């Protein structure tokens, strides 16, 4: 049986200052990423492209609340951005790097 765990990687990203969109990670090739809002978040996290905005009702991107997750088929983690409505909150994520 093949061991595919070597293709599964993970990370954490925190938005230090609310309203500041940040790239999820540096240039990192992947096939898919699963992003989950930290379970102790009190505000909202927006996930999207550059210029994502977590402002409720007027922002853009997909909003995640505590524990919510989204799966995105992307070729590079540097194509995904997050923003937060509360400083110091963020996400955890896992991604698949390649496969057979």
């Amino acid at each position: 049986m093949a061991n595919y765990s070597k293709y599964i990687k993970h990370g954490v990203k925190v938005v230090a200052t609310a309203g500041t969109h940040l790239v999820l990670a540096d240039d990192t090739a992947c096939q898919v990423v699963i992003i989950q809002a930290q379970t102790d978040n009190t505000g909202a996290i927006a996930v999207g492209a550059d210029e994502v905005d977590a402002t409720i009702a007027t922002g853009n991107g997909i909003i995640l609340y505590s524990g919510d997750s989204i799966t995105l088929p992307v070729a590079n983690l540097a194509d995904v951005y997050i923003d937060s409505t509360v400083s110091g909150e963020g996400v955890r994520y896992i991604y698949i790097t390649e496969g057979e």
Side-chain angles (χ1 to χ4, degrees), residues 13-26:
K13 186 69 171 194
V14 173
V15 178
T17 304
T20 305
H21 65 279
L22 300 174
V23 67
L24 185 64
D26 292 332

Side-chain angles (χ1 to χ4, degrees), residues 41-65:
N41 285 354
T42 59
I45 299 287
V47 178
D50 189 22
E51 302 298 328
V52 68
D53 182 349
T55 305
I56 302 301
T58 61
N60 55 55
I62 298 297
I63 292 290
L64 302 179
Y65 292 99

Side-chain angles (χ1 to χ4, degrees), residues 10-36:
H10 51 81
V12 173
K13 186 69 171 194
V14 173
V15 178
T17 304
T20 305
H21 65 279
L22 300 174
V23 67
L24 185 64
D26 292 332
D27 184 22
T28 305
C30 65
Q31 295 180 351
V32 64
V33 61
I34 303 169
I35 303 166
Q36 180 187 41

Side-chain angles (χ1 to χ4, degrees), residues 38-83:
Q38 292 282 21
T39 56
D40 60 349
N41 285 354
T42 59
I45 299 287
V47 178
D50 189 22
E51 302 298 328
V52 68
D53 182 349
T55 305
I56 302 301
T58 61
N60 55 55
I62 298 297
I63 292 290
L64 302 179
Y65 292 99
S66 174
D68 289 348
S69 65
I70 186 171
T71 301
L72 300 172
V74 295
N76 199 305
L77 295 180
D79 294 332
V80 181
Y81 288 74
I82 65 168
D83 185 21

